[in-house]
Amino acid sequence: MKGVFSYAGFFNFKDHNHHIMHLLNRIVLLVSFVCSAAVQAQSVDSIFIRQLADEILLHSQAYENLRVLTKSIGPRLAGSSGMVKAETWGLAAMQKAGADKAWKQACMVPHWERGGIDKATTLANLNADKNGFALDVVALGNSIGSGPKGISAEVLEVKSFEELELKKEQVKGKIVFYNYPFNATFVRTFQAYGDASKYRGQGPSQAAKYGAVGTIIRSMSHGANNHPHTGSTRYDSLYAKIPAVAIGLEHADLLSQWLQKQTVQIRLETHGYFLPDTIGHNIIGELTGTQYPDQIITVGGHLDSWDNCEGAHDDGAGCVQTIEMLRAFKAIGYQPKHTIRFVLFANEENGLRGGTKYAEEAKVKNEKHIFALESDAGGFTPRGFGFSMNELQYQRVLSWQPLIAPYGCSEFSKGGGGADIGPLNKNFNTPVAGLQPDSQRYFDYHHARNDVFEAVNKRELELGAVNMAALLYLVDRYGLGQ
Ligand SMILES: [Zn+2]
């Protein structure tokens, strides 16, 4: 109080009042200027994002592109003829969408072939069918064939690796049946996938370690159907490679019920094999930056799919959304400040060679990657984004939430990205993000025969592209800082 009083004593009251009023006026002016600049920036951004959204929602080619990719091309596992067709299609689609430059980036990819129809047939006459009961199974990707005679053995059920350890003395000569359920209590289904997928990845070798001759794995799903879900397995070179199949959920439950009453013998027949590595390609379309052409923003999905489905949600959706963003930016005449690369990555499913190559070439060319975004969680209603970046960058991204939320992505969370952009994040610490659509139905379709065009909703697919395009625009306009 004293200090204020003595400061006021420097002026006579009138003078002092005048000065204060003058100062206040200036402050009010300054504050209103700053506020209106912020409001203007916000309204410029919201108007632009509205325009971008309208372009996509009114004129999107994403659904039609998905129809061609899934119906005319279909399955496109690395090394297959479908892969080659998809690459040709992807390059043409990038050019048609208006890329300043479009090219194919070559990389070596593995070439695994399923080789025939996978079978698991009961040898005991369990259901009065004299020919045995055919369980609905599909061989795991990268798994070996049983040979033409198949493998006949008794089935040993375990619910977990812990139970396998307890029963290890009983494993020799058996077919180990991993009946580990997808944990239904996780609200985000990707957590259940993360929890269960170790049985698909490591299950065969863990069983082979104790002398198993084959494995049957409960599908990574809680879909209310009996479709078996494939996916990569990884053999540990220390142990024998044994045939491995995934089984549909209804038949997994049936097999488990039988095993509670009696022993069950099964004949397992698979035909998988590898051909030599071959050449695949990342397909890249670029809008070259007007101010910072050397600073790159990457967005993409993966072009490969499993061989047993059309790969509509996984990841045809991410591919056509990627092309759609390019088309929409071009259609409304947006010229990005930074270079934006739209990438259809090769071989995500059973090798990740495309994403690995993309980061390797970035290193060789000393490219500066400021942000990467991936859509590889299905073409469902967008809910949010997961971000892997530092705190300052994350705070900046959070400030954009009100601009994006009206289009569906209101849940911004830490952690996320995508398999294909993982190497950029790992090698260069590039900030990355992944689109997070509603996850409840994804594992009904993932790597199963029902992942087809008809399973994708046009509007949901387009809204995913809208939300990602909005995020790309904001990153391009404001950057992410260091
Ligand atoms: Zn995928």
Side-chain angles (χ1 to χ4, degrees), residues 302 304 313-315 348-349 374-377 420 442 446-447:
H302 64 84
D304 63 316
H313 279 294
D314 188 14
D315 184 23
E348 188 272 344
E349 295 293 1
E374 180 151 1
S375 169
D376 184 19
D420 299 290
Y442 187 61
H446 181 250
H447 302 176

Side-chain angles (χ1 to χ4, degrees), residues 285-329:
E286 182 178 294
L287 289 179
T288 309
T290 51
Q291 282 184 40
Y292 312 108
D294 298 338
Q295 296 186 23
I296 298 158
I297 296 169
T298 295
V299 61
H302 64 84
L303 189 55
D304 63 316
S305 79
W306 280 105
D307 61 316
N308 62 332
C309 60
E310 292 175 6
H313 279 294
D314 188 14
D315 184 23
C319 291
V320 299
Q321 286 169 334
T322 297
I323 297 164
E324 179 58 21
M325 286 182 267
L326 166 59
R327 191 202 64 78
F329 278 129

Side-chain angles (χ1 to χ4, degrees), residues 23-200:
L23 201 66
L24 275 176
N25 272 335
R26 294 212 141 205
I27 288 170
V28 167
L29 267 173
L30 190 70
V31 167
S32 65
F33 176 75
V34 168
C35 285
S36 74
V39 166
Q40 269 173 23
Q42 192 124 54
S43 69
V44 166
D45 291 335
S46 60
I47 288 165
F48 182 82
I49 291 170
R50 182 71 255 177
Q51 193 190 353
L52 197 53
D54 289 353
E55 173 57 37
I56 293 173
L57 295 172
L58 291 169
H59 308 297
S60 170
Q61 293 295 308
Y63 193 62
E64 205 43 49
N65 277 335
L66 187 66
R67 185 197 306 276
V68 174
L69 181 61
T70 55
K71 295 299 179 194
S72 302
I73 298 166
R76 45 197 182 276
L77 191 62
S80 67
S81 61
M83 174 195 79
V84 178
K85 282 185 210 157
E87 289 175 351
T88 304
W89 167 85
L91 187 64
M94 290 288 188
Q95 287 159 340
K96 193 177 164 212
D100 296 333
K101 286 184 222 164
W103 69 97
K104 290 159 80 173
Q105 181 183 48
C107 59
M108 295 308 287
V109 294
H111 185 179
W112 179 80
E113 287 281 344
R114 183 169 303 281
I117 296 168
D118 310 307
K119 293 175 189 161
T121 315
T122 58
L123 295 176
N125 188 13
L126 285 157
N127 69 339
D129 179 344
K130 287 182 183 120
N131 296 319
F133 187 93
L135 295 161
D136 202 346
V137 299
V138 64
L140 299 185
N142 300 345
S143 69
I144 63 150
S146 61
K149 287 184 182 165
I151 285 165
S152 296
E154 189 184 322
V155 178
L156 175 73
E157 178 180 356
V158 296
K159 291 276 185 345
S160 63
F161 284 136
E162 291 72 27
E163 193 178 344
L164 180 76
E165 285 300 317
L166 292 173
K167 293 183 172 171
K168 63 185 178 192
E169 304 300 334
Q170 304 168 46
V171 171
K172 197 167 170 27
K174 306 248 176 74
I175 293 170
V176 169
F177 167 37
Y178 288 101
N179 195 17
Y180 183 81
F182 223 49
N183 188 334
T185 65
F186 289 119
V187 173
R188 291 187 175 206
T189 61
F190 280 86
Q191 282 179 273
Y193 184 61
D195 173 57
S197 59
K198 57 183 176 285
Y199 291 98
R200 194 188 72 209

